[in-house]
Amino acid sequence: MGTATQTEPRHGTRGGTVGATTLSGLLFDGEYEETHRDIRAVLFDPAFDPREGLTSVEAGKLTYTRSRVLHRDLERPRDMLRRPRRLFALAEWAPLLDPAVFSVLLVHHNLALGTVLDLGAGRDDIEDHVEELDRLDSFGPYMATELGYGNNVAALRTEAVYDPETESFVLDTPDAGAQKFMSATGFTDLPKLAVVLARLKADGRNHGVHAFLVRISDGTGPAEGVHITPAPEQPVQGVDHALTRFDRVVVPRRNLLYGEKGGFSPDGSFLPGGGNLRRRFLHTMSRIQPGRLCVASAAVGAGKASVYTALRYAETRLTNGPGRGSVPVLDYRSHQRDLFPALAKVYAMNLLLNHAKREFEAHPGPASDELNHLISLTKALSTWEMSEVAGICRERCGAQGGFRVNRIAEYGSLLHGLVTAEGDNQVLLATTAGQLLTGEDRPLAAGPAKAADDVEDPRVQVALLRRREDSLHRKARADMAASEGTYFDAWNGAVNTALDMARTRGVRLALEQLAAAVPALADERDRTALGLLASLYGLVEIRRDAGWYLAGGLVTGAAVEGLSAAVDGLCERLRPHARRLTEAFRLTPELLRAPLAYDDPEAAFLLRTGASGPTGRSGAAGPATTPPPRTPGK
């Protein structure tokens, strides 16, 4: 694993040989047909048609209905967990028509059932619970976060005290701040069987955080001792998030998910698993890393859909062009400068994510430090970047971008949530940065042989990014070593430099993946288009910190002065390739049901709203470009 991020990335090896790859094959890593196609197909089910005017409760119930549709038409969750690529594909497609479906299904599949299977492997005594979750007879919330300990799960206060006389645990919430927070437990008329993390106490000793299977509701109301208070309403996220409190809830002994080597002795006393408290805690949290890849997959999917819709609309939205009459707004360089870098970021994050998925699959079992770093960087960078992409796309679509029916605003709200899901990005990146700093001091990477004058070459851009990454690494370590205060003082003085270092590392890895993918494409037009995207992605990142590169003598003043014009030039050259690059996403207007994505967005909008008016510029829109009339209740 240690050299995986340093060697030339691999592309196109799953669906064919390198050098025979399409843009779509590249983005889906050669697995569209076997891994993505049928999941995408389910989204055409009428259950996913837009429905307006719903209350938050009605929207939430619809999310669970849609989740069952996906469950009905795809393989069982247990089978999906055996093929991580399927899980990641579900995460990418599920939120496109209902962002909350991602929350429901991925928590159920990955965090709840995945934890049960990981920590209860080979245990026949809990097979009935496994079957219940696998059939989706009950939904499985995952209850780790507490109101007062959002970023510190290891310090949670919910406790489960073992009673050897009754061979059961008593689950309690000791104070208001220890209430479980953000778990989907609010709909008590739906059966819920949750994985609850609590501090296990037995024989008067604290054995650390463990996972328990706990009945939250049976479909007729909350279980005895379970108290649920709905959380305030969130935009878009139509999930029944709630505060959940436990008051002496009795949990059978068999519902403890103790993992390897743990359990109970013949006399009924508790036997902790191997290792110290931290090791057992990390084992309990085994589903966090695939969960972060699921979050990154959802983010990339939302980014693709945002750019797809915004670029298609920009190609059809006419505006005044001085001396030319009406022109598509995409012909304006100002519009291109927003949307084409957004497109480049989508490609870069997609390929970085593919790289992280391959490394995850190639290294089963406990993740190495380097794999953990790669996954954390991928999750943080992709969710931040795609959140920015959705915001830009919404703005460039004008007032139309704010309508839910055009989806981009919904993706923005989803992405804001993903930034804090499975580890708040800033905390996650700071943790990763701190771990990267504890390794051996590395030699300063070589920059260009002389101050670079042409910074459009991705090879030069990678060299510059590597030099910045290593320089920030050395500076953060030196600042900590020079501190005369406490360790906290030393870290606090270096944390922002360390965060910059970690982000630069993620950008550098993404650019390496993007640049190395170009020769894998068989079609010369694809190679040209992707090469321009790689150059634009790197150029935007160099421009972000141009002052630093100039001050370090790594680029010339002329190069810095020319950055703006260079970005414009790349955008101009990318203009003819825009449709080709977005068609690789395998999205269609009919799939997204977003009026802005259709060839005649005005006609599509009129049909969606039911307003009377002309049928479109061409007089009539064909069936392939215009959505069907709205059906009541859909």
Side-chain angles (χ1 to χ4, degrees), residues 41 45 108 153 190 226 322 348 363 377 437 441 468 471 538 584 632:
D45 190 287
H108 177 91
V153 176
L190 289 175
V226 178
H363 299 84
L377 290 172
L437 292 181
D441 197 7
R468 175 170 167 79
S471 295

Side-chain angles (χ1 to χ4, degrees), residues 447-455 460 464 549-560:
K450 60 180 182 178
D453 188 53
D454 177 11
V455 292
V460 174
L464 291 171
Y549 294 110
L550 180 64
L554 297 171
V555 297
T556 65
V560 172

Side-chain angles (χ1 to χ4, degrees), residues 17-78:
T17 58
V18 172
T21 306
T22 64
L23 283 170
S24 184
L26 183 71
L27 292 173
F28 292 102
D29 215 11
E31 289 198 328
Y32 174 76
E33 293 294 333
E34 64 179 288
T35 304
H36 293 263
R37 185 184 182 95
D38 62 332
I39 299 175
R40 175 185 180 274
V42 180
L43 298 184
F44 287 95
D45 190 287
F48 291 94
D49 288 348
R51 305 191 190 187
E52 297 185 6
L54 301 180
T55 67
S56 60
V57 171
E58 290 170 338
K61 293 295 180 66
L62 179 58
T63 288
Y64 282 96
T65 297
R66 289 167 168 170
S67 298
R68 289 191 184 279
V69 168
L70 279 162
H71 177 267
R72 177 198 69 199
D73 290 354
L74 302 174
E75 70 269 37
R76 289 274 193 97
R78 183 165 15 186

Side-chain angles (χ1 to χ4, degrees), residues 493-527:
V495 64
N496 288 322
T497 300
L499 284 168
D500 285 345
M501 177 271 295
R503 184 191 181 277
T504 303
R505 181 183 179 91
V507 169
R508 188 257 301 169
L509 291 172
L511 180 57
E512 286 177 343
Q513 294 295 314
L514 189 54
V518 175
L521 297 170
D523 191 288
E524 183 179 355
R525 293 169 298 175
D526 289 345
R527 291 196 298 272

Side-chain angles (χ1 to χ4, degrees), residues 394-432:
R394 194 211 64 75
E395 288 183 22
R396 294 291 70 78
C397 289
Q400 286 277 11
F403 288 110
R404 289 188 63 179
V405 71
N406 286 319
R407 307 218 177 269
I408 300 176
E410 287 198 342
Y411 299 146
S413 293
L414 167 69
L415 285 157
H416 291 160
L418 296 182
V419 163
T420 54
E422 304 289 23
D424 182 284
N425 276 0
Q426 191 163 61
V427 177
L428 180 62
L429 204 62
T431 301
T432 301

Side-chain angles (χ1 to χ4, degrees), residues 14-296:
R14 289 182 172 268
T17 58
V18 172
T21 306
T22 64
L23 283 170
S24 184
L26 183 71
L27 292 173
F28 292 102
D29 215 11
E31 289 198 328
Y32 174 76
E33 293 294 333
E34 64 179 288
T35 304
H36 293 263
R37 185 184 182 95
D38 62 332
I39 299 175
R40 175 185 180 274
V42 180
L43 298 184
F44 287 95
D45 190 287
F48 291 94
D49 288 348
R51 305 191 190 187
E52 297 185 6
L54 301 180
T55 67
S56 60
V57 171
E58 290 170 338
K61 293 295 180 66
L62 179 58
T63 288
Y64 282 96
T65 297
R66 289 167 168 170
S67 298
R68 289 191 184 279
V69 168
L70 279 162
H71 177 267
R72 177 198 69 199
D73 290 354
L74 302 174
E75 70 269 37
R76 289 274 193 97
R78 183 165 15 186
D79 295 327
M80 190 169 284
L81 288 166
R82 296 189 183 106
R83 296 175 57 200
R85 291 289 183 126
R86 287 288 283 175
L87 185 69
F88 304 147
L90 180 66
E92 179 173 338
W93 293 100
L96 293 188
L97 301 181
D98 185 345
V101 170
F102 165 80
S103 299
V104 169
L105 280 187
L106 272 298
V107 167
H108 177 91
H109 285 50
N110 180 65
L111 292 178
L113 182 57
T115 296
V116 174
L117 294 175
D118 281 1
L119 302 182
R123 286 183 53 189
D124 295 336
D125 62 321
I126 60 170
E127 182 61 25
D128 57 332
H129 292 322
V130 172
E131 277 295 308
E132 181 179 344
L133 293 170
D134 198 38
R135 292 192 305 263
L136 217 64
D137 293 342
S138 290
F139 285 93
Y142 184 80
M143 308 179 71
T145 304
E146 296 178 354
L147 181 63
Y149 299 89
N151 285 324
N152 192 4
V153 176
L156 60 79
R157 293 171 56 82
T158 302
E159 61 182 35
V161 180
Y162 182 56
D163 180 359
E165 295 295 324
T166 61
E167 295 189 337
S168 61
F169 292 89
V170 177
L171 188 66
D172 258 318
T173 302
D175 54 65
Q179 295 179 86
K180 293 299 183 182
F181 174 60
M182 291 298 289
S183 302
T185 58
F187 293 156
T188 58
D189 56 346
L190 289 175
K192 301 285 183 74
L193 179 63
V195 171
V196 177
L197 267 58
R199 192 167 300 284
L200 191 158
K201 295 183 177 180
D203 304 319
R205 297 168 55 198
N206 172 20
H207 294 280
V209 175
H210 285 68
F212 298 81
L213 271 168
V214 181
R215 180 77 56 193
I216 301 299
S217 55
D218 62 4
T220 63
E224 184 177 356
V226 178
H227 302 274
I228 297 170
T229 304
E233 184 178 343
Q234 290 180 288
V236 178
Q237 298 287 336
V239 179
D240 52 327
H241 291 142
L243 288 168
T244 309
R245 176 170 58 87
F246 303 108
D247 182 11
R248 297 192 62 78
V249 174
V250 176
V251 180
R253 188 176 80 174
R254 72 180 181 116
N255 286 23
L256 168 64
L257 303 171
Y258 45 74
E260 298 177 356
K261 301 179 181 178
F264 297 87
S265 67
D267 65 2
S269 58
F270 175 69
L271 300 174
N276 56 25
L277 290 180
R278 175 170 175 75
R279 180 179 175 184
R280 293 200 292 272
F281 169 72
L282 293 175
H283 185 53
T284 298
M285 301 287 288
S286 63
R287 299 306 302 178
I288 291 299
Q289 295 300 39
R292 287 173 178 158
L293 290 174
C294 287
V295 167

